[in-house]
């Protein structure tokens, strides 16, 4: 079955530094990926998405990179701020299905 | 536009009981998905409904069921509750026109505790 995993369960960065959160996926048929941010007591919030016909997409302070060769996804957060402290999930959606598979999450802590 | 609304936000049940959770999607969204989130785990897909039809189902036992109404509101039910059912149950809506449902918009979740 599909599996979406994260390399690191926790990540601590200094305020102002860049953060990189990684994610591996196993379903080569997946063609749509989303990064979500979940703050304590809240539901996941959309950050950025990317389709399999792209290898990079940029948003405001965030960049998602997709490497289909090694089935790897990463989220880069520039100039990390205390408000970025949260759990980050990657999710994949296979072209043949309507359900998303989520990773276990990486907890990002920003040190002021 | 109002977001995804889930009720109740918190509830406590005992083993053997059953529970019904409700979700009102964003206006205009026809796809509603349900996920279970437990400590240390990612979100586990339960099922997805589109226009009152279940399109996909995850690997959960038959005690977990759901339905969607004509106004796109959805409910999920868990019967014969077990301690392991304690979790945050998240509902997400999307436009869901095609196979690729697109961005999911999540509610705040219903936190279920089974004693």
């Amino acid at each position: 079955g599909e599996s979406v995993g994260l390399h690191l369960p926790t990540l601590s960065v200094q305020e102002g530094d860049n953060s990189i959160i990684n994610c591996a996926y196993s379903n080569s048929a997946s063609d749509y990926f989303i990064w979500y941010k979940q703050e304590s007591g809240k539901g996941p919030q959309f950050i950025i998405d990317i389709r399999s016909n792209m290898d990079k997409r940029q948003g405001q302070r965030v960049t998602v990179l997709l490497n289909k060769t090694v089935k790897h996804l990463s989220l880069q957060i520039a100039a990390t701020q205390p408000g970025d402290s949260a759990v980050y999930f990657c999710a994949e959606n296979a072209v043949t299905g309507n359900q998303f598979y989520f990773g276990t999450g990486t907890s990002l802590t920003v040190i002021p | 536009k109002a977001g995804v609304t889930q009720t109740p936000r918190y509830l406590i049940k005992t083993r053997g009981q059953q529970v019904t959770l409700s979700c009102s999607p964003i206006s205009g969204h026809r796809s509603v998905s349900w996920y279970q989130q437990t400590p240390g785990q990612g979100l586990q897909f339960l099922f997805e409904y589109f226009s009152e039809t279940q399109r996909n189902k995850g690997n959960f036992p038959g005690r977990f069921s759901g339905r969607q109404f004509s106004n796109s509101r959805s409910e999920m039910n868990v019967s014969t509750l077990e301690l392991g059912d304690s979790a945050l149950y998240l509902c997400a809506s999307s436009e869901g026109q095609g196979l690729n449902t697109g961005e999911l918009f999540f509610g705040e979740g219903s936190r279920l505790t089974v004693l």
Side-chain angles (χ1 to χ4, degrees), chain A residues 23-96:
Chain A
C23 176
Y25 66 95
S26 60
N27 187 353
S28 58
S30 293
D31 82 328
Y32 182 53
F33 304 86
I34 302 180
W35 279 100
Y36 281 93
K37 171 187 180 183
Q38 187 175 25
E39 296 174 277
S40 181
K42 297 185 177 181
Q45 179 183 6
F46 173 91
I47 301 174
I48 191 169
D49 60 357
I50 189 168
R51 295 197 179 271
S52 60
N53 61 352
M54 304 172 69
D55 53 20
K56 180 179 180 179
R57 190 157 189 235
Q58 289 183 294
Q60 187 177 12
R61 285 201 305 119
V62 294
T63 300
V64 55
L65 299 177
L66 174 63
N67 186 331
K68 294 181 288 293
T69 302
V70 295
K71 300 195 202 67
H72 184 268
L73 196 68
S74 69
L75 175 70
Q76 300 177 2
I77 304 174
T80 313
Q81 303 168 358
D84 295 328
S85 294
V87 177
Y88 290 81
F89 296 94
C90 63
E92 63 174 308
N93 183 223
V95 66
T96 57

Side-chain angles (χ1 to χ4, degrees), chain B residues 2-88:
Chain B
V4 178
T5 304
Q6 291 189 245
T7 57
R9 289 292 313 278
Y10 303 92
L11 66 166
I12 299 174
K13 294 285 187 177
T14 57
R15 281 178 296 174
Q17 288 187 309
Q18 67 94 27
V19 65
T20 299
L21 309 177
S22 179
C23 172
S24 293
I26 292 173
S27 177
H29 284 189
R30 296 163 64 187
S31 169
V32 173
S33 303
W34 288 90
Y35 288 82
Q36 180 196 65
Q37 186 176 29
T38 53
Q41 299 294 320
L43 285 76
Q44 304 293 316
F45 175 78
L46 281 156
F47 25 65
E48 186 243 355
Y49 289 87
F50 181 81
S51 295
E52 302 179 68
T53 300
Q54 188 181 88
R55 291 200 293 194
N56 264 310
K57 190 177 190 303
N59 296 321
F60 278 82
R63 299 185 298 107
F64 293 81
S65 62
R67 60 177 175 170
Q68 186 180 34
F69 303 95
S70 58
N71 61 358
S72 293
R73 190 178 69 84
S74 178
E75 289 181 348
M76 67 162 284
N77 184 79
V78 187
S79 62
T80 319
L81 284 166
E82 301 177 359
L83 295 179
D85 296 333
S86 294
L88 180 67

